């Protein structure tokens, strides 16, 4: 239960819902008990009045007595109807307070988790998979809601009703009360164990369904690959296997569910039989009345669901505690990317790295070692190197997705850590190597960066032109309003990259990071886009990360990385003259381009 203590703040926030719900629980149970007492009085009245009625056999007063008795019986009936209606009304109010409270808590908790997710650094997402993040904000929160709503409601109802009913039953006849209630604890324990089995099998079904859904999603997303390799039959066979596993687990759960109601009905029947049998003996002994027996039977049935729910509530609480513990594990994680001064001064784009070292938290080898360079406002820097040399890591440090382990990163002469994070990131735009597009129109994907929500149409059109996307749009009937599929599946790799470039350019940022953003286009298209970008780059600090010399040679400065270290620095011409790693890479790519030209010729 300790894990659930963190939910108490929501009960305090919605204390009026909680207190009102408690009041309505008490009132509804009072109106539930009164009809049982009316039944007792009415039965006792009938059993006592019938002998008197017989004594007036043949007399005129017998009809008067009958009318009088019928009116009293009708009055009892009307009172019971009124009590039932009032109980139903207060049960409605009970659910409208406690269950509504649980929905508010679910809403608040999901928002809290989502906002916390947004605040966590990229290192958090490197260590946790998306499926687990989704499960905690959906399934785990839903389980906690079952505690804050139904479990709390039925738990309070059990306590209130038990105190009222059992207290009254004991005051009438303690012995009969004990015998009548004897099977109910057995029922509660049985339901607890049956419910645990149901929960375990439900979780197995959920995991099976998750695997089935994941497989299906991957199959639909990768349908091109499946068709290209003619693996439809294998894919169908795998789906059938997963589907059969899900069916088998579902059938096992159905078998356990089938035991639930017979078990409950059987034990309730035993309670009723014990009440009638031993109650009859007590009537014979003159300690209780016939009406008391009927009243006890009603009370037994009233206690059935609350007592049954005890096992159910216990199981729900255990599952909720486990889910809240999983939620707390993430909520307790804090970001280490914080601002030291919350500086919001305009950024010009003067970037300096001074002896920067960095190692990923889940890595063993340094990603960057003693990195020192400078890029002045309006200048462009190209970073080249083999895969894993640390190029993207530099871009992440500039965007402050991570903080350096040692050394200094200065922006306009100020420590990068001094800037207010959201403000600083709004001054830059990144075109990542792994392009992500939303399932929306091309226009909305490009305008994604507008933080005000208003779209500048002229800026969008200019960004489309600068990114070399205008010609591609002519092939789409709806132009910018063309809907692209999930993750931009309807676009080619080059089109995705150009949309991503346009998305960055539309913001007119002070700092522009291009992380291998033209790898999916041919060299000719790359040169065309770069020439368009050259005009844009003149007013921005631009960092170009690329494995192509054709992209790097347009930059004012070039640095070459190898295993996280800078091995060469200079302009395109000076590095060619140095006859080092850069020239070797240049000659290899030039030879490859010549070979490709001859092949197509």
């Amino acid at each position: 239960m300790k894990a659930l203590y963190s939910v108490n703040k929501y009960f305090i926030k919605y204390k009026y819902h909680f207190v009102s719900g408690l009041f309505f629980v008490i009132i509804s149970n009072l109106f539930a008990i009164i009809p049982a007492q009316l039944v007792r009085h009415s039965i006792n009245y009938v059993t006592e009045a019938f002998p008197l009625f017989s004594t007036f056999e043949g007399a005129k007063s017998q009809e008067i007595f009958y009318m009088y008795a019928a009116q009293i019986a009708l009055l009892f009936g009307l009172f019971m109807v009124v009590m039932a209606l009032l109980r139903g009304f207060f049960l409605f109010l009970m659910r409208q307070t406690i269950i509504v409270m649980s929905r508010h808590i679910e809403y608040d908790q999901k928002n809290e988790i989502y906002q916390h997710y947004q605040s966590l650094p990229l290192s958090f997402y490197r260590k946790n998979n998306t499926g687990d993040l989704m499960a905690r904000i959906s399934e785990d929160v839903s389980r906690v809601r079952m505690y804050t709503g139904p479990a709390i409601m039925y738990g309070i109802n059990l306590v209130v009703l038990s105190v009222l009913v059992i207290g009254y039953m004991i005051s009438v006849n303690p012995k009969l009360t004990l015998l009548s209630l004897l099977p109910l604890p057995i029922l509660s324990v049985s339901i607890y164990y049956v419910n645990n089995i149901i929960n375990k099998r439900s979780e197995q079904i959920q995991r099976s369904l998750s695997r089935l859904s994941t497989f299906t999603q991957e199959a639909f997303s990768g349908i091109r690959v499946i068709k290209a390799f003619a693996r439809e039959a294998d894919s169908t066979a795998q789906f059938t296997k997963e589907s059969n596993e899900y069916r088998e687990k579902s059938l096992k759960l159905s078998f356990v569910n089938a035991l639930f109601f017979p078990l409950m009905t059987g034990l309730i029947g035993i309670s009723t039989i014990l009440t009638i049998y031993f109650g009859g003996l007590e009537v014979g002994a003159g300690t209780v009345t016939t009406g008391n027996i009927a009243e006890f039977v009603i009370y037994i049935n009233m206690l059935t669901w609350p007592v049954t729910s005890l096992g159910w509530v216990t199981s729900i609480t255990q599952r909720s505690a486990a889910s809240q513990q999983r939620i707390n594990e993430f909520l307790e994680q804090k970001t280490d990317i914080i601002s030291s001064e919350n500086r919001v001064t305009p950024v010009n784009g003067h970037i300096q790295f001074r002896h920067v070292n960095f190692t990923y938290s889940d890595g063993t080898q340094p990603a960057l070692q003693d990195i020192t360079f400078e890029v002045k406002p309006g200048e462009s820097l190209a970073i080249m190197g083999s895969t894993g040399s640390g190029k993207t890591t530099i871009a992440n440090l500039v965007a402050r997705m991570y903080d350096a382990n040692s050394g200094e990163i200065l922006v306009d002469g100020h420590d990068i850590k001094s800037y207010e994070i959201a403000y600083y990131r709004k001054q830059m735009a990144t075109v990542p190597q792994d392009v992500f597009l939303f399932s929306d129109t091309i226009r909305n994907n490009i305008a994604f960066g507008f933080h005000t929500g208003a779209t500048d149409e002229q800026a969008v059109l200019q960004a489309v032109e600068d990114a070399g996307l205008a010609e591609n749009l002519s092939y789409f009937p709806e132009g910018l309003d063309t809907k692209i599929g999930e993750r931009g599946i309807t676009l080619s790799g080059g089109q995705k990259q150009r949309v991503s470039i346009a998305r960055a350019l539309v913001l007119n940022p002070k700092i522009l990071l291009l992380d291998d953003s033209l790898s999916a286009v041919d060299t000719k298209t790359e040169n065309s886009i770069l020439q368009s970008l050259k005009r844009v780059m003149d007013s921005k600090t631009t960092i170009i990360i690329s494995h192509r010399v054709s992209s790097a040679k347009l930059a004012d400065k070039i640095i070459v990385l190898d295993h996280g270290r800078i091995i060469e620095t200079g302009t395109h011409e000076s590095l060619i003259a140095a006859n080092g790693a850069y020239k070797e890479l240049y000659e290899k790519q030039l030879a490859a381009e010549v070979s490709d030209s001859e092949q197509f010729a």
Side-chain angles (χ1 to χ4, degrees), residues 108-123:
D108 288 349
Q109 193 168 37
K110 283 186 175 182
N111 280 325
E112 180 187 5
I113 295 170
Y114 185 78
Q115 289 173 11
H116 189 68
Y117 279 171
Q118 297 286 322
S119 70
L120 294 173
L122 282 184
S123 56

Side-chain angles (χ1 to χ4, degrees), residues 19-92:
V19 173
S20 298
L22 178 60
F23 172 75
F24 294 137
V25 169
I26 296 172
I27 296 298
S28 64
N29 281 313
L30 286 175
F31 284 121
I33 291 173
I34 293 173
Q37 296 175 354
L38 290 174
V39 167
R40 168 170 55 86
H41 288 301
S42 62
I43 290 176
N44 287 339
Y45 171 75
V46 170
T47 55
E48 291 171 2
F50 186 78
L52 291 174
F53 178 74
S54 302
T55 61
F56 292 96
E57 183 93 32
K60 187 177 180 181
S61 55
Q62 185 181 39
E63 184 178 347
I64 298 172
F65 183 86
Y66 175 79
M67 290 178 59
Y68 177 73
Q71 288 174 356
I72 293 176
L74 179 61
L75 193 60
F76 276 125
L78 289 175
F79 273 131
M80 283 189 277
V81 170
V82 171
M83 293 300 106
L85 291 174
L86 288 172
R87 181 173 185 254
F89 174 69
F90 284 105
L91 283 175
F92 167 76

